[in-house]
Amino acid sequence: MASEQATMLRINLDHSSPVPLYYQMAKAIEKDIETGALAPGERLENEIALAGRLRVSRPTARRALQELVDLGMLVRKRGVGTQVAPARVHRRVELTSLFDDLAGSGRKPATTVLEYSVGPCAPEVSDTLEIPQGEEVVTVKRLRYADGEPLALMVNHLALEIAPTREELTDLGLYAALRAHGIEIHMAQQQIGARLATAAEARILDEKPKAALLTMERKAFDVDGRAIEHGVHIYRASRYNFSTTLFAQ
Amino acid sequence: MASEQATMLRINLDHSSPVPLYYQMAKAIEKDIETGALAPGERLENEIALAGRLRVSRPTARRALQELVDLGMLVRKRGVGTQVAPARVHRRVELTSLFDDLAGSGRKPATTVLEYSVGPCAPEVSDTLEIPQGEEVVTVKRLRYADGEPLALMVNHLALEIAPTREELTDLGLYAALRAHGIEIHMAQQQIGARLATAAEARILDEKPKAALLTMERKAFDVDGRAIEHGVHIYRASRYNFSTTLFAQ
DNA sequence: CAGTGGTCTAGACCACTTA
DNA sequence: AAGTGGTCTAGACCACTGA
């Protein structure tokens, strides 16, 4: 039985481009899903027809489709076919920074750098960053605002040779500033907890003493496993929470 | 130049097994990494030699290696080779349940089911579970202990036809009980926040009133995007925090 | 039974890294 | 220049689904 409802994708591939064909295909389909040209539940052509029409081999077409399955945008079943996944499953968002989060949700982030100092490495930080104790590291203490209100107090430690300048940290988030230095964060270990605000913390965050705070401690690493950053953050629980989308292995 | 330090993996593949060759290979290498037979930083054979030695095609060997790269256990660089990733990058652990977490860290979990009722669906739950308002859903309220101390108060809503029994929930975590019914959670959306304990919450959790609580609201879906579960949990911040490992896209 | 995706092969050529 | 992984092809056979 010929496929009754399969959508014919309009995709132009540039076979002479240095951009891999599977990548061009995946991006094109991804765009169609994001714009709604392909609706959730809609059926795609089978991979052999798709490959033939786009003049690529079947493994290449498969690879493109598999990329989108891994992203949760497509669902494939043997004997059935390929469908666009329900909208809510699309796109895992992970490892974004607070700055990006705020900017992305339309709130206006701003940062005050309260402290920017170079000093000997404390034992705890030494462990994380794998820098010998006593060697110099940069300590940064920042107050983050959203729409003019204080939101979070963040203390970070970085190795001297990779630390962004004070000015960069005022204009960008930490991760964006690191990226400008060619440093990509690949993995982070986080612990999220809660506690009551001290008097000093309450004052600086415009909360009452003993208000609820969200706490986050993070260690971040690059793709080679080098430790890049150690951070201890506190957030006003009245104004912020962590939203995450998790996927089963 | 012949490879100087590449480790020769001892892998036996069963070419007549229904288990895919790439999967057998990936599992074998994964096991060697986990047991320490392959140490972090160690170099593997190049993929062509590996494929030849194991009598599989190069794409099959590549696929096995790629699986482990996706898991963060191997790092590959063009022109350089394949190495075992630093230990801390191995294995993303996601979407585990509190019960599994506790059992895994050697603490003894226990559960009391405080309430198990069937009743009409509240508007908020109706939205999440995509069950018409007023239709019946199961509401479960559980108190979780670790090592004899109360740790968390959890309220969950599930569709009638998939809800585990009261007895199952006493012996297992919610996700394990669902799994026993053939239901696999594939994705969950979570929000983690903090607030102060009410008098009633403090009493039941053995905390002082206005102690800090961690809050978590979760919606869980299966692989087809069907809503499975809606939960609102509170944790004693003095006894628990969320540990997560995040990976950049 | 026809149609689908899942696995596998045996090559080819290219791009990047290191010395 | 040698060695590595990255991409791509053109087939083959199998396993599962649904009518």
Side-chain angles (χ1 to χ4, degrees), chain A residues 191-194, chain B residues 101 214 236-237 239-243:
Chain A
Q191 292 190 303
I192 297 172
Chain B
D101 277 357
L214 258 179
R236 297 171 71 179
R239 306 298 165 107
Y240 190 72
N241 56 39
F242 291 101
S243 293

Side-chain angles (χ1 to χ4, degrees), chain A residues 231-245:
Chain A
V232 175
H233 299 186
I234 59 176
Y235 304 84
R236 297 172 71 181
S238 59
R239 307 297 165 105
Y240 189 73
N241 55 41
F242 291 99
S243 294
T244 53
T245 301

